[in-house]
Amino acid sequence: MNYIAKIGLLLSIGSLSPLYAQKQYSLQECIDYAMTHNISIQNAGIQSKIAENNIKMSKGNRLPTVNSSLSQSANFYMSDNASTNGNFTTRLDAISANWTVFDGFQNLKNHQKSLIDKDIADKNTEVLKNDISLNIANAYLQVLFNKELVKVSENQLDLSNKQLKIVQTQFKAGSVPQANIVDAEATVAQDELTLTQRKNSVSSSLLNLKQLMQVPAEETFDVQPIDADNYMNRLAVKTPAEIYEIAVAQRAEIQLAELNIKSAEKSIEIAKAAKLPTVSLGYNFGTVYNKVNGGYNSAFTDQVWDNLGHQLSATLSIPIFNGWKNETNYKNAQLNQEKYNFDLQNQKYTLRQNIEMAYLEAINAKKTYEASQKSMTSRALALDYTQKRYEIGSVNLFDFETARNNWISAQGTLAQAKYDFLFKVKVLQFYAGWSLGEEL
């Protein structure tokens, strides 16, 4: 097989040698690294821990409160004749306890809501992880795409150097003017520039991937290639409807919307419970010391011991009017539930749209990739045929340059089609419940 045909065949099957010697990381390894190092994910984890602490607090609200206190008071009046003027009272509550026996089950509902809110915090973290994973997959494939373009430019430069040698030989033989050498040298220089620019693009895309993963820029880093052909015959395993059924049961966005509805239902129950009476029990063990101005006062120690005692209390509180606060909270909670119901419907509708569009785009990208492979093979063969005829003088330089430019264009189109296809398949794989880093 001739040199040009070999190049076309290698590109058509998506081969790509590594540009760097350091360890290559798979897409799954990149995603796993980001899941443990990304600052946004770590921050979302803190919100989950806060929600967990709120669960503990909601449990405590159902238990009695126990306190100890010491108070000092004095009475002063404008009239010196007041019998209580200058009186002092010292009160010591050694143990003071209060327990809400019944509050319309508000504390119970608050605890149940705190459990749901913890799940909401976890799902928000999962949604964030999914978004970051998709961004990393996109950045990862962009690195591979840019590296493939480097290979294209290297092949292009190699061909231009070979062509320059042919022109130099033809010039020495007197069959072409010196201007042809100048044109060939200019082509080599332009190809060298293109190769440098594309290598720079690899560095930039690697840096972008590192930043998404929170990897320091100075660390050596490279990525593994992905064989697009592994996905060619596995794309249509499931229909869009089947993928939707999987996604609607597994996607974090849907589960988050459902949890918001449950949380809103608990808010309604809490607001409704606030309109009911509350019953609380109280207990106090302590003493009091009084100093009466102008009267007989027992010694401090004597009064403390003599006044030592227990106190039990029961309180019934019935809400009658509080500026429509309870009623407003109840109506707003109902409206929030209605809003979250609409949010769930919208999430499901958007999910179905995204899956249908992703499926169509993946099918179209597959067709484009297959067509680009055929085009690449035919352009490589055409260039090889034209080059041989050019070397013996059967075609002119214009015809050769046209074949060469068509070959170069076909290489770029194939690389673009390949990684567009890979990304579209990864998106579809994402909706179907697969890990983005999982290989077929």
Side-chain angles (χ1 to χ4, degrees):
M1 184 180 291
N2 59 65
Y3 175 77
I4 301 301
K6 287 181 179 179
I7 292 175
L9 179 60
L10 288 174
L11 285 172
S12 67
I13 63 174
S15 64
L16 181 63
S17 61
L19 297 179
Y20 305 99
Q22 61 264 29
K23 180 184 183 310
Q24 294 180 324
Y25 289 85
S26 68
L27 175 56
Q28 188 60 55
E29 287 175 325
C30 292
I31 293 174
D32 291 342
Y33 184 95
M35 294 303 101
T36 57
H37 293 81
N38 187 275
I39 295 175
S40 297
I41 293 176
Q42 293 176 358
N43 185 51
I46 292 176
Q47 294 300 319
S48 182
K49 291 179 180 178
I50 291 174
E52 188 172 351
N53 290 337
N54 289 337
I55 293 176
K56 184 184 296 184
M57 183 173 63
S58 68
K59 287 181 179 179
N61 289 337
R62 302 166 64 187
L63 301 174
T65 58
V66 180
N67 298 286
S68 180
S69 64
L70 175 67
S71 64
Q72 175 72 52
S73 63
N75 298 324
F76 298 96
Y77 296 92
M78 298 299 294
S79 173
D80 292 337
N81 296 327
S83 60
T84 59
N85 202 12
N87 290 355
F88 292 89
T89 301
T90 301
R91 182 174 184 85
L92 172 63
D93 293 326
I95 297 178
S96 177
N98 188 74
W99 181 32
T100 302
V101 180
F102 178 78
D103 61 351
F105 302 108
Q106 289 186 70
N107 284 334
L108 175 61
K109 301 300 181 182
N110 274 311
H111 175 64
Q112 293 171 344
K113 185 176 183 298
S114 69
L115 295 173
I116 297 173
D117 291 342
K118 170 62 167 60
D119 291 337
I120 289 175
D122 291 341
K123 287 302 172 184
N124 275 317
T125 302
E126 189 175 340
V127 170
L128 178 62
K129 287 181 177 181
N130 288 340
D131 291 341
I132 292 175
S133 296
L134 199 58
N135 289 336
I136 288 175
N138 189 23
Y140 188 98
L141 293 175
Q142 186 63 47
V143 173
L144 294 181
F145 172 62
N146 288 332
K147 291 175 73 173
E148 186 120 342
L149 291 181
V150 167
K151 290 297 298 180
V152 170
S153 294
E154 288 174 344
N155 294 330
Q156 179 180 333
L157 178 59
D158 188 44
L159 177 62
S160 297
N161 281 320
K162 290 179 180 295
Q163 180 59 27
L164 175 59
K165 291 179 180 179
I166 293 172
V167 173
Q168 289 172 339
T169 301
Q170 290 174 336
F171 173 72
K172 290 179 181 179
S175 59
V176 297
Q178 188 174 6
N180 285 24
I181 294 180
V182 175
D183 289 340
E185 290 175 342
T187 300
V188 170
Q190 179 61 46
D191 290 346
E192 289 175 343
L193 174 61
T194 301
L195 177 59
T196 300
Q197 291 173 333
R198 287 179 171 174
K199 285 182 177 180
N200 292 340
S201 295
V202 171
S203 299
S204 298
S205 57
L206 275 171
L207 177 59
N208 180 50
L209 179 58
K210 286 181 180 180
Q211 290 174 340
L212 286 173
M213 296 169 56
Q214 311 285 306
V215 174
E218 62 273 12
E219 288 192 14
T220 57
F221 183 85
D222 200 10
V223 298
Q224 294 178 2
I226 298 176
D227 190 353
D229 292 332
N230 286 341
Y231 294 82
M232 293 298 289
N233 299 320
R234 300 290 302 275
L235 179 59
V237 172
K238 290 181 173 27
T239 66
E242 291 172 331
I243 295 174
Y244 173 76
E245 290 301 319
I246 295 172
V248 80
Q250 297 182 357
R251 293 294 298 170
E253 296 89 340
I254 302 299
Q255 295 172 351
L256 178 60
E258 291 171 342
L259 287 170
N260 283 330
I261 293 175
K262 292 181 180 179
S263 180
E265 290 173 350
K266 291 300 175 184
S267 295
I268 292 175
E269 294 175 3
I270 293 169
K272 187 175 181 180
K275 301 160 69 173
L276 300 176
T278 59
V279 178
S280 60
L281 298 178
Y283 168 76
N284 181 70
F285 174 71
T287 187
V288 65
Y289 166 77
N290 289 312
K291 180 183 178 182
V292 180
N293 186 30
Y296 172 77
N297 297 286
S298 300
F300 178 81
T301 305
D302 293 340
Q303 283 200 42
V304 167
W305 286 107
D306 291 342
N307 294 332
L308 192 66
H310 305 271
Q311 180 183 4
L312 294 174
S313 64
T315 303
L316 172 65
S317 177
I318 302 175
I320 298 176
F321 179 76
N322 62 354
W324 297 288
K325 178 181 177 180
N326 288 342
E327 188 63 27
T328 300
N329 289 338
Y330 179 67
K331 290 181 179 179
N332 285 342
Q334 289 178 313
L335 291 173
N336 277 330
Q337 183 192 31
E338 186 176 355
K339 171 186 174 297
Y340 286 127
N341 278 323
F342 283 124
D343 286 345
L344 176 59
Q345 294 177 32
N346 185 59
Q347 285 285 354
K348 289 183 177 180
Y349 179 70
T350 301
L351 178 62
R352 181 181 290 276
Q353 282 185 314
N354 290 341
I355 290 174
E356 291 171 346
M357 182 58 67
Y359 188 86
L360 178 61
E361 289 179 347
I363 292 294
N364 291 340
K366 178 184 177 182
K367 294 177 181 177
T368 301
Y369 181 43
E370 291 172 333
S372 298
Q373 288 177 315
K374 294 178 182 178
S375 175
M376 179 65 232
T377 301
S378 63
R379 291 298 183 185
L381 293 173
L383 177 60
D384 180 66
Y385 177 72
T386 304
Q387 183 178 13
K388 289 178 178 178
R389 296 183 64 197
Y390 175 73
E391 291 174 358
I392 62 176
S394 298
V395 298
N396 56 30
L397 179 62
F398 175 79
D399 292 333
F400 174 77
E401 286 296 328
T402 300
R404 175 181 177 276
N405 291 335
N406 288 338
W407 174 70
I408 293 172
S409 177
Q411 286 182 305
T413 300
L414 176 60
Q416 179 68 51
K418 173 182 177 180
Y419 288 101
D420 181 61
F421 168 69
L422 275 176
F423 183 71
K424 296 296 172 46
V425 172
K426 285 292 181 182
V427 171
L428 200 61
Q429 182 179 338
F430 181 60
Y431 285 122
W434 290 45
S435 168
L436 282 168
E438 187 173 355
E439 297 293 337
L440 290 177

